[in-house]
């Protein structure tokens, strides 16, 4: 069976804030390295069974025309999480995993989708590879995510 390295599985939402007056949708964003368009069942692929992903796709909103904005993983992830073209804030590299490097990570001046969702009353979480800085100031829990496992 063919495997694809998963970079980041972001689970955004899941639980509504207790103060919410009306239900809001849960948000689940899955990011995968080297996944081809036709590698999953809901896109027509049949080589690898993906029944759970197929079920999620059938019951939710599918964004099928997304493209990465950089050829390596960390800048692409930075662009996705900030909603900005990462070159505009100088993030064009895969940082070395170095917990002493205070400048090698997603700039602290940039807000993430998790920051926005948290402000809207969502509980946020991230699971998987972070690769947006190893210094504690870049940790997902300091970048808008309530929970992180990776």
């Amino acid at each position: 069976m063919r495997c694809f390295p998963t970079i980041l599985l972001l689970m955004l939402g899941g639980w509504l804030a207790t103060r919410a007056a009306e239900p809001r949708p849960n948000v689940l964003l899955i990011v995968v390295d080297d996944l081809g368009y036709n590698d999953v069942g809901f896109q027509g692929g049949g080589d690898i069974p993906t029944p759970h992903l197929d079920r999620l796709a059938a019951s939710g909103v599918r964004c099928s025309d997304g493209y990465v904005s950089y050829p390596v993983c960390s800048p692409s992830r930075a662009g996705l999480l900030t909603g900005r073209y990462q070159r505009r804030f100088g993030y064009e590299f895969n940082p070395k995993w170095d917990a002493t490097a205070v400048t090698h990570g997603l700039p602290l001046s940039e807000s993430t989708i998790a920051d926005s969702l948290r402000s809207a009353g969502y509980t946020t979480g991230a699971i998987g590879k972070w690769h947006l800085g190893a210094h504690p100031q870049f940790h997902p829990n300091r970048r808008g995510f309530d929970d992180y496992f990776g």
Side-chain angles (χ1 to χ4, degrees):
M1 181 193 249
R2 217 166 114 196
C3 294
F4 297 100
T6 302
I7 333 176
L8 180 65
L9 172 63
L10 297 175
M11 292 172 46
L12 303 174
W15 303 275
L16 298 175
T18 56
R19 66 181 186 274
E22 60 186 59
R24 290 173 286 167
N26 293 328
V27 178
L28 174 65
L29 176 63
I30 300 172
V31 180
V32 181
D33 259 351
D34 300 323
L35 180 72
Y37 186 84
N38 195 36
D39 288 341
V40 287
F42 64 87
Q43 291 296 105
D47 292 340
I48 303 167
T50 57
H52 301 295
L53 293 175
D54 298 345
R55 195 167 31 259
L56 279 170
S59 65
V61 175
R62 288 179 36 226
C63 301
S64 60
D65 291 320
Y67 298 90
V68 297
S69 56
Y70 207 80
V72 295
C73 61
S74 189
S76 290
R77 187 178 298 107
L80 179 68
L81 289 179
T82 63
R84 297 188 62 213
Y85 181 44
Q86 69 284 341
R87 190 169 192 172
R88 295 204 174 158
F89 53 89
Y91 199 79
E92 302 176 58
F93 60 93
N94 274 335
K96 180 180 174 186
W97 195 255
D98 179 1
T100 63
V102 297
T103 60
H104 296 167
L106 180 63
L108 300 176
S109 59
E110 298 301 316
S111 295
T112 68
I113 187 172
D115 293 318
S116 297
L117 287 169
R118 183 190 275 178
S119 294
Y122 280 87
T123 299
T124 59
I127 299 171
K129 179 180 169 185
W130 178 246
H131 203 193
L132 289 167
H135 190 273
Q137 69 184 356
F138 299 118
H139 192 276
N141 293 134
R142 294 190 177 175
R143 301 313 309 265
F145 292 98
D146 296 305
D147 294 301
Y148 175 68
F149 179 82

